[in-house]
Amino acid sequence: MRLEVLDTTLRDGAQSGGMSLRAQDKIRVMRALDSLGVDYIEAGMPAGSETDARFYEIIKHEKPLVNAVLCAFSSTCHPACKAEDDENLKACAFSPAPVVSVFGKASEWQVKRVLQTETSENLRMIEESVRFLKNAGKRVFFDAEHFFDGAAENMDYSLECLRAAARGGAEILTLCDTNGGSLIGRVSDIVRRVNSEFAGMLSIHAHNDSGIAAAISMAAVSAGVVQVQGTVGGMGERCGNADLCTLLPNLILKMGYDMKAKECLKNLTHLSRTISEICNFTPDRRAPYVGSSAFAHKGGTHIDAILKDDRSFEHINPKIVGNSRRLLISDQSGRSAVHSRLLLAAPDIKRDSPEMDKIMLAMKKKAAEGYRYENAEGSFELLALKAIGRRKTFYEVIDFHVLCEKAIDARNAMAHIKVRVGDSEEINAAEGDGPVNALDNALRKALSVFYPCLEKMRLTDFKVRVIDSGGTASTVRVQIETTDGERVWSTIGVSPNIISACFKALTDSIDYMLTFLDKPMA
Amino acid sequence: MRLEVLDTTLRDGAQSGGMSLRAQDKIRVMRALDSLGVDYIEAGMPAGSETDARFYEIIKHEKPLVNAVLCAFSSTCHPACKAEDDENLKACAFSPAPVVSVFGKASEWQVKRVLQTETSENLRMIEESVRFLKNAGKRVFFDAEHFFDGAAENMDYSLECLRAAARGGAEILTLCDTNGGSLIGRVSDIVRRVNSEFAGMLSIHAHNDSGIAAAISMAAVSAGVVQVQGTVGGMGERCGNADLCTLLPNLILKMGYDMKAKECLKNLTHLSRTISEICNFTPDRRAPYVGSSAFAHKGGTHIDAILKDDRSFEHINPKIVGNSRRLLISDQSGRSAVHSRLLLAAPDIKRDSPEMDKIMLAMKKKAAEGYRYENAEGSFELLALKAIGRRKTFYEVIDFHVLCEKAIDARNAMAHIKVRVGDSEEINAAEGDGPVNALDNALRKALSVFYPCLEKMRLTDFKVRVIDSGGTASTVRVQIETTDGERVWSTIGVSPNIISACFKALTDSIDYMLTFLDKPMA
């Protein structure tokens, strides 16, 4: 049987402290997850928050997913309430998601102590909630919350909960190690026992509180589950969920499972970083497979050995998951990818030309400063042009000053700027909501005198990311997205000074418009 | 048999990219590790670097360790060289460490392909190197590098390597999963097989490249090893080593092993943070047991359940490992959750008091501005105090100016500030890497005149998030984390002006320290 994957980054992952995604961000994460080849994408509760409600509204008008099926989420109905009166269940029934995960308690202790209801009432809630959704035409997965702790204390009751869900029509029964405290022996034993009754219906949902979520999930697969659940980067509350970026390669490459994600494995590193970026989740550089240090080699003997044979200190070839080896000496990874992104800027450059060497070298230098071009293609194209001596200069910023004064809120920054275009100089000034906005306003005001097209420019996104932890002296990466009403382009700036970083991203954005304005966009 | 622990933070952990410790730092880490109750502390090679040489020199004059035994480190001698001529082995023989770990290849493929010598010569190198140290009066542990990969390909030869070490006089044989690629089944099988010949002599040394280093170590313990190796926080090259902060509680609390570290478990969180601090290693807030989010709860239903019974969503009581519960406050948090966060700031406020209404109202107002308190507990407590009229004023910032000028990089910002404390005023100025850093520097410089304790403050994290997409005029949310070396607190500021947002977070952080400094932390 094929092993399936349910990604819950948008649901359980979003429980991470500090994460708050806009509906549009969730759509972007969903698209990236779809490219990752997961089978199901569990999103939030349609009636849970305004953001989630908007997400499900937007979905209705979006083009369908390629690999994955969307899965809504709800609890069962409440004690002494009917399923058909439950707002969350109703919202799921009317949502565009073909699948709904319903969670309910599968532990006698939790039912009595936390839910404070009768064990039989809990069974009724489970069965009715599942049946309600099934009758509404949904495929239903039942999340058996606290299953392993419950089963360890009273296996019979935990099994009754699964039976109730199965009677209601659930097609998948998810065994949850909700508190993340189970060890492998217990999980293997319990899964084997449950599998004797529910073969082909079980899923595993592990949390990392004991630091072994991936191992537990793998043990459950060996013991018979047909679906694994997890999140990108192991996002999730407390210690997080099982990390799909670890689990997928382990299952596919090491345990030999046939999975839809197999075809997409080479995108794993890229997609995991894209998703982390959207979620403003700092990716762990030591993460297995996808971390920037996962294949980084330090120390002479290790590097010597790697140069003799990369099997000497690498458990897999990093290319398989789209990552790359990092040595102190040259690595050629990505030449084809880099070349493929030059179609607009320099279509005549051949993959093996000396110009390509220059571009690769320029990129490596910038990477060392903290530049990442995955979400800043505009800046990448300008960098490539510069590396081969083709970047045009449209103006020179001779000087600028930005002054901020104490004020409890906003509009307390002033910038003045002096630019030169040809033989003409222009001095101008503007105020703004903070120093970055003031500088942006002043810069465009001054340059629009020479290039009126810049008046059409409008920033649509502005992201700031701290990329090392030196407190307020940290290096920051600013990424902006600009539109002229028709096209959209993204640029980047990196500096320990946020004003410098923004200035770089802003001038790149202006340069991009002036360079490529009359050409067709990629 | 008692299970022993060898900590290799100062050796394998120091291989982490970016880590460089001074000899005095290593002494401090060694003392902290000793308090953690580990049995052996493996430090670097006495002839490996100047720092390590100095470390072993200093050791000679230091007072003895309480719990642990120091362990030096060396490779075997080289092919075609005698052990007694090897500089590293000689340095170990003359070092003050009573134990020496010697590593050698235990894989036929590695010997032939990387060492490029005869398999018999490798056996000679192992046996002679161990015997040389044994004759010099040392206890010797043999690190069988690449053991699992080697054993999977040619078990006989890998066993021959162990036999050579045993003949030389090794008392512990460490089975290393050097490349971190092994899965649990393989490790269990191989350990069991090897244990039939070397019972009571085996140790496990796992790397985390497959994300299961802790699970592998636990499986090896179940299969018979008597020693586990790892590092604090899982420090180490690539994806790191097995994390002792996960392994120790798992082995002691969940698997019931009797270990020296058992008595010290309540210091685990504190010591892991101290060691991370010295190593300038950013601790993972999601780390099992010791992470600041390991017992953090978000979402109304989880918090309500925790308040009914903490067993509902916690696998252990956080106090056992010296950590603490955090109920993350968000705008959807119920009254109970908010109330439970007031224990430190206002312990006398009752859940149903009118003061609670004021606090709830203040939170809602702030939420509408974009404030999120789940990772800003310091700011939440100050807000609560303010809402009920109890927030003290320690100083007034009368004015500040921040000036940025064009410069391609860094250190181009200057801030001056005027503060008043009582009847005294202080005007001061500072420069910095960007406007935020300059303001931070100036503010603390001016206030330290009145409050010298602020000099101990150090920012450990700084996050900026754009929370709406108005381009450079977007509202930004700044979250900072501060430490005084012992405690950690987090604060927040929101404004369309990034300088204002930072200013709010910084002043909250200072106020927090001044308000709660002399009180015990929750």
Side-chain angles (χ1 to χ4, degrees):
Chain A
M1 193 163 193
R2 215 178 151 98
L3 191 59
E4 293 194 326
V5 177
L6 182 144
D7 177 280
T8 182
T9 304
L10 290 172
R11 201 276 299 170
D12 221 358
Q15 291 283 105
S16 302
M19 192 182 302
S20 67
L21 292 174
R22 300 168 304 171
Q24 277 298 348
D25 294 329
K26 293 198 171 198
I27 300 286
R28 289 172 63 206
V29 171
M30 181 188 74
R31 292 284 169 211
L33 289 170
D34 192 32
S35 313
L36 202 56
V38 304
D39 299 271
Y40 302 97
I41 297 172
E42 188 172 83
M45 298 167 92
S49 69
E50 224 171 275
T51 304
D52 282 336
R54 195 154 56 244
F55 169 83
Y56 284 100
E57 267 309 304
I58 296 172
I59 286 296
K60 290 178 185 165
H61 316 290
E62 286 273 319
K63 64 177 196 290
L65 297 172
V66 177
N67 288 305
V69 175
L70 192 69
C71 177
F73 188 74
S74 177
S75 64
T76 63
C77 59
H78 293 285
C81 297
K82 288 180 178 171
E84 66 253 41
D85 296 335
D86 188 279
E87 292 306 323
N88 286 318
L89 289 170
K90 280 196 285 187
C92 285
F94 292 113
S95 88
V99 183
V100 181
S101 286
V102 183
F103 75 97
K105 301 248 181 242
S107 146
E108 184 192 19
W109 183 86
Q110 292 273 347
V111 171
K112 289 182 171 168
R113 183 79 182 92
V114 178
L115 216 51
Q116 301 183 340
T117 191
E118 297 296 315
T119 50
S120 56
E121 171 63 1
N122 182 53
L123 298 177
R124 197 266 316 159
M125 288 152 54
I126 293 171
E127 183 175 345
E128 269 192 20
S129 299
V130 172
R131 182 169 293 121
F132 169 77
L133 290 168
K134 188 80 186 161
N135 289 341
K138 301 294 179 187
R139 294 168 59 192
V140 186
F141 296 173
F142 174 63
D143 272 13
E145 207 189 6
H146 298 287
F147 186 82
F148 291 99
D149 292 338
E153 287 171 3
N154 182 347
M155 174 64 103
D156 289 339
Y157 184 72
S158 294
L159 280 172
E160 281 303 331
C161 297
L162 298 184
R163 289 177 192 128
R167 277 196 306 275
E171 93 185 60
I172 287 283
L173 305 172
T174 305
L175 311 184
C176 300
D177 188 38
T178 308
N179 295 2
S182 295
L183 298 194
I184 288 176
R186 179 206 261 185
V187 169
S188 294
D189 291 347
I190 291 176
V191 170
R192 244 179 234 110
R193 170 125 181 240
V194 176
N195 200 44
S196 66
E197 183 170 342
F198 296 104
M201 289 180 71
L202 299 182
S203 176
I204 179 76
H205 178 103
H207 281 264
N208 203 37
D209 299 75
S210 306
I212 55 173
I216 280 184
S217 306
M218 290 154 70
V221 169
S222 298
V225 308
V226 295
Q227 184 189 85
V228 290
Q229 302 195 357
T231 60
V232 170
M235 292 179 215
E237 63 178 337
R238 304 193 313 271
C239 307
N241 288 54
D243 184 353
L244 289 182
C245 300
T246 297
L247 259 184
L248 293 178
N250 277 348
L251 291 167
I252 294 168
L253 302 174
K254 304 201 167 181
M255 297 173 76
Y257 281 93
D258 184 25
M259 301 172 78
K260 200 180 269 177
K262 193 173 177 176
E263 306 307 319
C264 313
L265 216 50
K266 62 181 182 306
N267 302 323
L268 188 67
T269 301
H270 167 67
L271 289 171
S272 74
R273 289 177 191 174
T274 301
I275 291 169
S276 299
E277 187 71 32
I278 300 169
C279 295
N280 199 21
F281 173 84
T282 307
D284 183 358
R285 57 168 61 87
R286 302 184 309 142
Y289 297 102
V290 298
S292 58
S293 295
F295 301 94
H297 303 282
K298 182 181 166 184
T301 56
H302 281 205
I303 289 180
D304 288 350
I306 281 283
L307 292 176
K308 283 179 188 156
D309 195 315
D310 49 67
R311 281 177 60 207
S312 60
F313 282 94
E314 283 175 359
H315 66 131
I316 64 154
N317 186 321
K319 284 182 192 156
I320 297 173
V321 291
N323 205 341
S324 51
R325 180 173 306 135
R326 286 171 51 205
L327 304 178
L328 294 174
I329 46 156
S330 75
D331 76 290
Q332 309 92 320
S333 75
R335 196 180 178 95
S336 303
V338 171
H339 182 247
S340 70
R341 279 162 60 175
L342 291 174
L343 281 177
L344 173 62
D348 57 310
I349 302 287
K350 297 277 173 297
R351 190 188 170 286
D352 295 314
S353 63
E355 283 93 342
M356 269 299 293
D357 295 332
K358 289 181 186 165
I359 292 169
M360 294 300 291
L361 187 69
M363 269 193 75
K364 270 196 218 326
K365 276 192 187 161
K366 286 294 195 179
E369 291 173 33
Y371 279 80
R372 295 292 175 271
Y373 292 99
E374 294 181 0
N375 286 314
E377 278 148 6
S379 287
F380 164 73
E381 289 173 63
L382 293 169
L383 176 76
L385 287 181
K386 190 176 176 190
I388 57 175
R390 295 191 195 170
R391 183 167 175 174
K392 278 194 228 161
T393 304
F394 296 93
Y395 57 89
E396 187 190 347
V397 176
I398 300 168
D399 205 3
F400 70 71
H401 293 254
V402 186
L403 182 70
C404 304
E405 295 182 304
K406 179 178 184 285
I408 298 310
D409 276 303
R411 291 219 90 75
N412 59 343
M414 167 78 87
H416 61 262
I417 195 159
K418 186 175 175 182
V419 298
R420 181 187 294 138
V421 176
D423 292 333
S424 306
E425 286 184 355
E426 168 74 14
I427 298 179
N428 218 317
E431 60 175 4
D433 297 340
V436 175
N437 186 230
L439 180 61
D440 178 24
N441 291 342
L443 181 64
R444 281 193 280 167
K445 209 169 149 194
L447 288 176
S448 295
V449 171
F450 305 98
Y451 303 107
C453 67
L454 297 178
E455 283 166 13
K456 280 190 292 179
M457 262 181 74
R458 199 170 63 75
L459 262 62
T460 51
D461 200 18
F462 173 54
K463 281 208 165 179
V464 180
R465 182 159 188 103
V466 177
I467 55 176
D468 64 27
S469 55
T472 52
S474 301
T475 299
V476 292
R477 183 190 295 151
V478 170
Q479 286 184 295
I480 65 177
E481 203 180 73
T482 312
T483 186
D484 62 355
E486 250 181 277
R487 293 163 295 187
V488 174
W489 60 97
S490 52
T491 54
I492 186 173
V494 176
S495 169
N497 182 333
I498 192 168
I499 301 286
S500 297
C502 288
F503 181 73
K504 291 174 188 182
L506 287 170
T507 50
D508 263 15
S509 176
I510 289 170
D511 284 9
Y512 189 88
M513 182 151 182
L514 297 176
T515 305
F516 296 107
L517 188 72
D518 297 326
K519 299 185 183 182
M521 297 287 286
Chain B
M1 192 161 194
R2 215 178 151 99
L3 191 59
E4 294 194 326
V5 177
L6 182 144
D7 176 280
T8 183
T9 304
L10 290 173
R11 202 274 301 170
D12 220 359
Q15 291 284 104
S16 302
M19 192 182 302
S20 70
L21 292 174
R22 299 168 306 169
Q24 277 299 348
D25 295 330
K26 293 200 169 194
I27 301 288
R28 288 171 63 206
V29 171
M30 181 188 73
R31 292 284 169 210
L33 290 170
D34 192 33
S35 314
L36 203 56
V38 304
D39 299 272
Y40 301 98
I41 296 172
E42 188 173 82
M45 299 167 90
S49 69
E50 224 171 277
T51 304
D52 281 337
R54 196 155 54 245
F55 170 83
Y56 284 100
E57 267 309 304
I58 296 172
I59 286 295
K60 290 177 183 167
H61 316 290
E62 286 272 317
K63 63 177 197 289
L65 296 171
V66 177
N67 287 306
V69 175
L70 193 67
C71 179
F73 188 73
S74 177
S75 64
T76 64
C77 59
H78 294 285
C81 296
K82 289 181 177 169
E84 65 253 40
D85 295 335
D86 188 280
E87 293 305 322
N88 286 319
L89 289 170
K90 280 196 286 186
C92 285
F94 292 115
S95 88
V99 183
V100 182
S101 286
V102 183
F103 75 96
K105 302 249 181 241
S107 145
E108 184 194 18
W109 183 86
Q110 292 274 346
V111 170
K112 290 182 172 168
R113 183 82 182 90
V114 178
L115 216 50
Q116 300 183 340
T117 191
E118 297 297 314
T119 50
S120 57
E121 171 63 0
N122 182 54
L123 298 177
R124 197 263 322 158
M125 288 152 54
I126 294 171
E127 183 174 344
E128 269 191 21
S129 300
V130 173
R131 182 169 295 123
F132 168 76
L133 291 167
K134 188 78 184 164
N135 289 342
K138 301 295 180 187
R139 295 169 59 192
V140 186
F141 296 173
F142 174 63
D143 272 13
E145 207 189 5
H146 297 289
F147 185 83
F148 291 99
D149 292 338
E153 287 171 4
N154 181 347
M155 173 65 103
D156 289 340
Y157 184 72
S158 295
L159 280 172
E160 281 303 332
C161 296
L162 299 184
R163 288 177 194 131
R167 277 196 307 274
E171 93 185 59
I172 287 284
L173 305 172
T174 305
L175 310 183
C176 301
D177 188 38
T178 308
N179 294 4
S182 295
L183 299 194
I184 288 175
R186 180 206 260 187
V187 169
S188 293
D189 290 348
I190 291 177
V191 171
R192 244 179 235 109
R193 169 125 179 242
V194 177
N195 200 44
S196 66
E197 184 171 341
F198 297 104
M201 291 180 71
L202 299 182
S203 175
I204 179 77
H205 178 103
H207 281 265
N208 203 37
D209 299 73
S210 306
I212 56 173
I216 278 184
S217 305
M218 291 154 70
V221 168
S222 298
V225 308
V226 295
Q227 185 190 83
V228 291
Q229 302 195 356
T231 61
V232 170
M235 292 179 214
E237 63 178 337
R238 301 194 313 270
C239 307
N241 288 55
D243 184 353
L244 289 181
C245 300
T246 298
L247 259 184
L248 294 178
N250 276 350
L251 291 166
I252 295 167
L253 302 174
K254 302 202 168 179
M255 296 173 77
Y257 281 93
D258 184 26
M259 301 172 78
K260 201 179 271 178
K262 192 172 177 176
E263 306 307 320
C264 313
L265 217 49
K266 62 183 183 306
N267 302 323
L268 188 67
T269 301
H270 168 67
L271 289 171
S272 74
R273 289 178 190 172
T274 301
I275 291 169
S276 299
E277 184 76 26
I278 301 169
C279 296
N280 198 22
F281 172 84
T282 308
D284 183 0
R285 56 168 58 85
R286 302 185 308 145
Y289 297 103
V290 298
S292 58
S293 294
F295 301 94
H297 304 281
K298 180 181 170 183
T301 55
H302 281 205
I303 290 181
D304 287 349
I306 279 283
L307 293 175
K308 281 180 190 155
D309 194 316
D310 49 69
R311 281 178 60 208
S312 60
F313 283 94
E314 282 175 0
H315 66 131
I316 64 155
N317 186 322
K319 284 181 192 155
I320 297 172
V321 290
N323 206 341
S324 51
R325 180 172 307 134
R326 285 171 56 207
L327 301 182
L328 302 179
I329 301 299
S330 71
D331 48 328
Q332 296 110 314
S333 291
R335 201 178 176 93
S336 307
V338 173
H339 181 248
S340 69
R341 283 297 313 164
L342 291 174
L343 280 179
L344 176 61
D348 57 308
I349 302 289
K350 297 278 175 297
R351 191 188 169 288
D352 296 314
S353 63
E355 282 93 342
M356 271 299 294
D357 295 332
K358 289 182 186 165
I359 292 169
M360 296 299 288
L361 188 68
M363 271 192 70
K364 272 198 206 339
K365 275 192 188 160
K366 286 292 194 180
E369 291 173 34
Y371 278 80
R372 296 290 176 273
Y373 291 98
E374 37 186 89
N375 282 316
E377 285 144 353
S379 288
F380 165 72
E381 288 174 63
L382 293 169
L383 176 77
L385 287 181
K386 189 176 177 190
I388 57 175
R390 294 192 195 171
R391 182 167 176 174
K392 277 195 227 161
T393 304
F394 295 93
Y395 56 89
E396 187 190 347
V397 176
I398 299 168
D399 205 2
F400 70 71
H401 293 255
V402 186
L403 181 69
C404 305
E405 295 182 306
K406 179 177 183 286
I408 298 309
D409 276 305
R411 289 219 93 73
N412 59 346
M414 167 77 88
H416 61 261
I417 194 160
K418 186 174 175 182
V419 299
R420 183 187 293 139
V421 175
D423 291 333
S424 306
E425 287 183 353
E426 167 74 14
I427 298 180
N428 217 319
E431 58 175 6
D433 297 340
V436 175
N437 186 232
L439 181 61
D440 177 23
N441 291 341
L443 181 64
R444 280 194 279 167
K445 207 168 149 195
L447 288 175
S448 294
V449 171
F450 306 98
Y451 303 107
C453 66
L454 298 179
E455 283 165 14
K456 279 191 292 180
M457 265 180 72
R458 200 171 68 74
L459 262 63
T460 51
D461 199 18
F462 173 54
K463 280 205 167 181
V464 180
R465 175 141 190 116
V466 176
I467 53 177
D468 63 29
S469 55
T472 51
S474 302
T475 298
V476 292
R477 182 191 294 152
V478 170
Q479 285 185 295
I480 65 177
E481 204 180 75
T482 312
T483 184
D484 62 356
E486 247 182 280
R487 293 162 296 189
V488 175
W489 59 96
S490 50
T491 54
I492 187 173
V494 176
S495 170
N497 183 332
I498 191 168
I499 302 284
S500 297
C502 287
F503 180 73
K504 291 174 187 180
L506 288 170
T507 50
D508 262 16
S509 176
I510 289 169
D511 285 8
Y512 188 87
M513 180 149 182
L514 296 175
T515 305
F516 296 107
L517 188 72
D518 297 327
K519 298 186 183 182
M521 299 287 284

